[in-house]
Amino acid sequence: MSKLKILNIVGARPQIIKASAISRAIAGPFSKEIEEVIVHTGQHYDRELSEVFFDELEIRMPDHNLQVGSGKHGRQTGLILERIEDVIMNEKPDCVIVYGDTNSTLAAALAASKQHYPVVHIEAGMRSFNKTMPEELNRIMADHSSTLLFAPTNTAFKNLMAEGFRPENMAPYNINNPRIFLTGDIMYDNSLFYAELAERKKHDFLKKIGLADDQFILVTIHRDLNTDDAVRLTSIFRTLAELSEKNGITLVMPLHPRTIIALKKSAPELHEKMTGTGLIRIIRPVSFLEMILLEKKARMIITDSGGVQKESHFFSKPCIVLRKETEWVELVKNGTVRLADADPGKITEAWDYFMNNKEMLHFPGFYGDGKAASTILREIIEVFRS
Ligand code: UD1
Ligand code: UDP
């Protein structure tokens, strides 16, 4: 029997990491059944946002790189649409896998579905219910262009049902009769797999950068709502600088290039002051294995990232989220994520609570059994073989 051909689409940092779980399973137990073609849109292109993950996570280099680079939403999405159309037409895959909610996700899902190639959406059904977020528009449209939708959580599965997706649909599946499936989270697979590798391969990383276990707080900021609003950005950085100084604790910030650019522009004095003080450590983005070690050894995590807030849970760390809402609502209900927006009062309150109540926090398993990638590939074979 010929192999099932899938196009695995990546573009932004978290998608490369997510795709590694699928690539690893294809190279392993599914190697006789599935042929993988990797397409990189080129949305992220700096070595530390892209190539480093291919090297470190041992993913094959992409078969196609569309090299779209940065730009306004319309231009970036448009370029991907235009360039990926030819790739899909030439490769003629059995299905096209897209991840999450970036412009790469949307463009690939649209291009494939309009050519009548079935789309598989991994991380389907996530909703913030805030359509001013570019990601919310991208994920809704990707879901509604898909034939097979893999929800990582119960909430995501219910969100899909609320939008009219029916779990009782029967094969044969297509865009008008899609299949929804609750799988657990492939990032949980990855955190389990790479945490062990990180300890082996990078055991001296923390020491090398002068950090000790439990003696620092990890901070990441990159969402447009924070970077592109000078008032919010300044409020967040000023509050964090004050809290770090008052409590005498180091803040380690591997910042996305977008945030550095924005900080230098909106608050150059603050940027200079922060890079000058001993307690604030702004560093370049780190590799995934290094990130796992920072997450595992941090006292607490402060972030506006979707992926990082979830990883805080995998590594049993409390997390302050610098947004008004989150898609990972179970973490907020569980009391281990607090939504603080960019509000100095809320950030301070959450900080004090988490610093003083560590023993009250519990981190139950919300994200599956760590085998989501295999479950997904089995289901893909079942659906597209028949
Ligand atoms: C994108 C996603 C976001 C995701 C994030 C993961 C969209 C709309 N947003 O946001 O959902 O959370 O990726 O990290 O798809 N830049 C560089 N080097 C690069 C790439 C970007 O310096 O390799 C800078 C450029 O100034 C660029 C800016 O970052 O304009 C924003 O990049 P872009 O890909 O548009 O969005 P992200 O903020 O990375
Ligand atoms: N990450 C990383 N190095 C960094 C910052 C983040 O490897 O310096 C990883 C992080 O562990 C997570 C993913 O990148 O797996 C999250 O990406 P990001 O925060 O850019 O995007 P989001 O998840 O918000 O879409």
Side-chain angles (χ1 to χ4, degrees):
M1 208 195 302
S2 67
K3 290 184 182 181
L4 199 76
K5 185 174 187 179
I6 65 157
L7 242 53
N8 204 5
I9 313 290
V10 299
R13 162 171 69 189
Q15 294 168 328
I16 304 168
I17 303 172
K18 286 168 197 169
S20 74
I22 294 293
S23 292
R24 199 167 58 244
I26 294 176
F30 293 91
S31 63
K32 291 202 169 66
E33 293 164 284
I34 298 181
E35 175 193 349
E36 177 192 33
V37 176
I38 302 178
V39 182
H40 193 326
T41 64
Q43 178 171 349
H44 283 179
Y45 44 85
D46 283 348
R47 177 173 162 71
E48 56 207 8
L49 292 188
S50 175
E51 203 184 324
V52 67
F53 301 106
F54 287 90
D55 291 350
E56 188 180 68
L57 310 181
E58 293 175 16
I59 312 169
R60 271 192 313 107
M61 286 312 277
D63 300 284
H64 303 272
N65 191 323
L66 309 180
Q67 297 190 323
V68 300
S70 300
K72 290 185 189 151
H73 285 276
R75 182 178 156 76
Q76 188 177 58
T77 311
L79 275 181
I80 303 172
L81 256 175
E82 188 183 327
R83 293 183 187 172
I84 209 165
E85 195 163 66
D86 290 340
V87 174
I88 297 171
M89 220 160 3
N90 293 331
E91 291 286 356
K92 301 188 176 30
D94 292 295
C95 67
V96 176
I97 301 187
V98 298
Y99 300 86
D101 52 23
T102 71
N103 288 345
S104 297
T105 316
L106 169 66
L110 272 183
S113 57
K114 287 205 165 179
Q115 288 185 76
H116 305 159
Y117 284 92
V119 174
V120 175
H121 190 198
I122 295 183
E123 221 179 72
M126 303 311 296
R127 295 290 181 269
S128 64
F129 300 100
N130 174 3
K131 286 187 187 161
T132 65
M133 282 180 80
E135 291 84 359
E136 185 77 350
L137 298 175
N138 291 345
R139 51 173 94 101
I140 291 172
M141 287 188 258
D143 280 342
H144 288 266
S145 310
S146 294
T147 290
L148 185 51
L149 297 90
F150 290 107
T153 61
N154 273 318
T155 306
F157 193 79
K158 285 186 193 146
N159 289 340
L160 290 173
M161 287 199 289
E163 285 176 24
F165 289 92
R166 292 153 39 102
E168 60 273 23
N169 284 359
M170 306 280 278
Y173 300 106
N174 56 52
I175 192 170
N176 291 316
N177 179 44
R179 163 103 166 118
I180 59 174
F181 197 101
L182 175 62
T183 47
D185 190 333
I186 50 170
M187 280 310 293
Y188 184 49
D189 299 20
N190 272 340
S191 291
L192 293 177
F193 183 80
Y194 291 119
E196 195 263 324
L197 205 62
E199 293 286 1
R200 260 195 295 129
K201 279 193 156 176
K202 298 263 177 177
H203 55 90
D204 55 351
F205 170 66
L206 245 56
K207 208 165 133 206
K208 263 192 186 157
I209 62 168
L211 295 174
D213 285 20
D214 213 37
Q215 301 300 311
F216 66 94
I217 291 173
L218 174 65
V219 182
T220 81
I221 298 164
H222 77 284
R223 291 262 163 213
D224 65 345
L225 96 154
N226 289 326
T227 58
D228 298 1
D229 181 331
V231 175
R232 287 182 67 98
L233 195 67
T234 312
S235 162
I236 289 170
F237 275 93
R238 197 159 279 147
T239 308
L240 293 180
E242 278 167 20
L243 285 168
S244 137
E245 203 165 313
K246 194 170 129 210
N247 293 272
I249 186 158
T250 302
L251 299 188
V252 181
M253 305 189 179
L255 291 185
H256 190 297
R258 160 175 214 155
T259 317
I260 300 280
I261 296 168
L263 193 61
K264 281 184 181 162
K265 191 169 151 216
S266 316
E269 291 142 38
L270 195 55
H271 177 258
E272 200 161 313
K273 184 168 163 245
M274 295 192 76
T275 42
T277 140
L279 285 177
I280 309 265
R281 303 271 305 276
I282 293 183
I283 59 175
R284 300 178 71 84
V286 294
S287 75
F288 187 53
L289 296 187
E290 292 166 351
M291 188 64 178
I292 285 181
L293 290 173
L294 288 173
E295 290 169 342
K296 266 183 94 170
K297 312 288 183 185
R299 176 96 147 259
M300 170 166 75
I301 296 176
I302 302 177
T303 191
D304 59 9
S305 158
V308 175
Q309 65 183 280
K310 206 172 20 156
E311 287 160 16
S312 74
H313 190 80
F314 300 156
F315 298 115
S316 304
K317 302 293 163 159
C319 180
I320 302 176
V321 170
L322 302 167
R323 289 176 49 195
K324 270 196 183 69
E325 73 279 308
T326 178
E327 301 76 28
W328 306 100
V329 287
E330 55 287 331
L331 300 178
V332 178
K333 274 196 210 127
N334 190 51
T336 41
V337 158
R338 285 210 173 181
L339 298 172
D341 202 9
D343 179 328
K346 287 187 184 159
I347 296 172
T348 306
E349 199 187 321
W351 172 299
D352 289 341
Y353 178 78
F354 285 146
M355 292 297 259
N356 296 317
N357 291 284
K358 200 175 161 189
E359 63 294 341
M360 310 271 287
L361 306 174
H362 300 284
F363 298 86
F366 293 130
Y367 299 106
D369 58 4
K371 296 183 182 127
S374 293
T375 310
I376 285 171
L377 290 175
R378 267 197 303 276
E379 187 62 19
I380 286 178
I381 291 171
E382 173 86 23
V383 167
F384 296 114
R385 262 279 163 255
S386 41

